[in-house]
Amino acid sequence: HLNARNALLLERLHRNAEAKAAVREIYVNWAPGVIPRHDHEGGKVLMERFVELVPRLVGLKVFIWDAQCAILPRLLTALQHPHLQNCTLHTTCPFRTDVVNSLRTLQNNHHLLSLDLTITDTQFTAKTALRKLLPTSPSLRNLAISVVKDSGPFPGNFALCVPGMSLPPLKILKLQHMKLAEYGDPGWEECMVWEGLEQLECTEVGFLPTLSGPLQQGLLSLTVHHSAAWNSEQRFQLCEFIENASRLENLSVTEATELIIRGRDYESRAPYLKSLRFHEYQEFDKFMDIDRFVLSCRHIERIAKVCPQLHTFGIDLKVGSEWPYETFQTIADSLWFIVHLEFYIELPDLQRLLPHGQSPDRSVVNLKNVRHIWASLWRGITQARERRNHLICLPRLQTLKIYEGSFRLQQNLRPGILRNERREEAIFEARLSERDDLAAKGHADVVCLELEGLQEKYGKGPLASQEQTDLMQDMISRAYEGSARQRKSVLDGKQVHLRPLRTKLLAMTEGQLG
């Protein structure tokens, strides 16, 4: 946090050569001095001192920029110092009107390993700048691009690649509302070496048939967000691709649960799957009364039977007047070997959404309830193990995540409401205790990830503004009491990004950021 609370730390690093040499990773997630209206936090002077310090950190291996604005050009220049030739750069480019300048400053940067970019469908110059940036980034391996709707309906998926353009050899590619290329263009499939791609997330599947051979050779993880625009042929192509992906270990499908489950197209890969997620978006239009397709207990039993190596399992839950204990019991009985569980839950009383995107007065999910669900699952899994005389400690349930509120992107949204494709109102996580004696008894630490992320963002000590204080109190009330909170659009300049980039990177790269 480049604010007054860390001024002493920076000065110590400036004075102490041994300390400078020991620094291996820098993670910046709050830089108030970059934006004039936030300079009351003393950030401008600290930023200057920080830029001076970076070239002197001779042991630096990883630099992560996850602040509320794009990385500064002078900081990029500092990272080009010969001492830092082995340092890797991971950066976000959150939505801002000056994102074009940010993309231009990143050109020809040999340190850039990860780029997480958000642009709107009307920022055409940003799209051009992006096309110029990618071929000049030889070290880039992780690329995530999200196109969000500024106003009116989407004009159509923007194509990332144009004829003659080449991408660096990516390992991770995530495209939200963006086509890979115009598939009628000759030679578009030669824009990248596809055999090296290990993780793919997309909302558009038109390229899968053409790339099925090369992609299926190396792909380990596939996340697909089904589009209503898909025709029956594209649905068939998706199922066929999954069936023949010879190395696929992780499969996540959104808005196509019924299609995949009833066709059983995943079952040819099922014996090798380590992660499986099925999810349907929640409708928030009060005039639409559509029930999500939720897996039955029989479906869960079938999955447990055909996926013996499954470690991670995520499904939608339908919560009425009480929790679905029958589903919990089925999971405990049949998936007694599971390590990570994820549940996606609708917001209650959705018709009562207020004009400015506020949620109902109380949520069904809070820290107390999550602790109760964990205890119920742990108890059921323990009993299932005892019946099988399978009391070996590992594998055992390590985490339970509960996502509450997830919405599809609509064609016409009122200003300020849920403009990005997926906005969970809150995510809670129960983590098995790190103490062996407590873990043996099933004790878990339960947190609200938004609250945890906000605390990490702002750091320890007194908060710097009333805006920060209000947001923190809002999140504390949400986590402990289930109180409603205001959801902000990704296009809102005051939005604080609560989920740290570092956490996402560690999850994607299995802990290897360098």
Side-chain angles (χ1 to χ4, degrees), residues 191-257:
C191 64
M192 197 181 98
V193 180
W194 298 104
E195 288 84 353
L197 191 68
E198 296 179 353
Q199 297 184 38
L200 174 64
E201 180 174 341
C202 58
T203 52
E204 199 274 337
V205 295
F207 61 93
L208 290 181
T210 304
L211 299 177
S212 57
L215 258 181
Q216 287 167 334
Q217 292 179 30
L219 198 65
L220 300 175
S221 177
L222 175 64
T223 300
V224 179
H225 303 276
H226 180 263
S227 168
W230 291 5
N231 55 41
S232 58
E233 182 181 1
Q234 288 174 312
R235 294 187 183 99
F236 173 77
Q237 289 167 347
L238 170 63
C239 296
E240 189 176 42
F241 182 89
I242 293 172
E243 190 174 1
N244 295 302
S246 58
R247 296 186 63 202
L248 193 65
E249 296 179 347
N250 307 298
L251 176 62
S252 179
V253 178
T254 300
E255 289 292 280
T257 304

Side-chain angles (χ1 to χ4, degrees), residues 397-411:
L397 188 62
Q398 295 284 329
T399 63
L400 167 66
K401 279 186 180 178
I402 297 183
Y403 299 71
E404 187 184 41
S406 187
F407 304 87
R408 74 163 72 242
L409 182 66
Q410 299 293 324
Q411 290 295 317

Side-chain angles (χ1 to χ4, degrees), residues 15 53 156 160 195 264 296 331 335 380 428 444 449 506:
R15 294 193 301 267
L53 174 67
L160 175 62
E195 288 84 353
R264 295 186 177 180
S296 67
I331 290 172
L335 286 164
F428 290 79
L449 294 188
L506 287 171

Side-chain angles (χ1 to χ4, degrees), residues 2 52 125 131 138 163 189 192 198 222 251 264 273 280 289 315 341 451 470 476 513:
L2 293 176
E52 293 172 10
T125 52
R131 286 171 173 161
E189 66 274 13
M192 197 181 98
E198 296 179 353
L222 175 64
L251 176 62
R264 295 186 177 180
L273 287 179
E280 302 293 304
D289 185 18
I315 58 169
L341 272 175
L451 178 58
D470 291 343
I476 290 173
L513 294 182

Side-chain angles (χ1 to χ4, degrees), residues 373-389:
I373 295 169
W374 169 273
S376 176
L377 285 164
W378 184 272
R379 185 166 54 251
I381 288 173
T382 300
Q383 292 169 353
R385 283 177 175 272
E386 290 174 350
R387 288 195 297 270
R388 291 172 171 82
N389 293 319

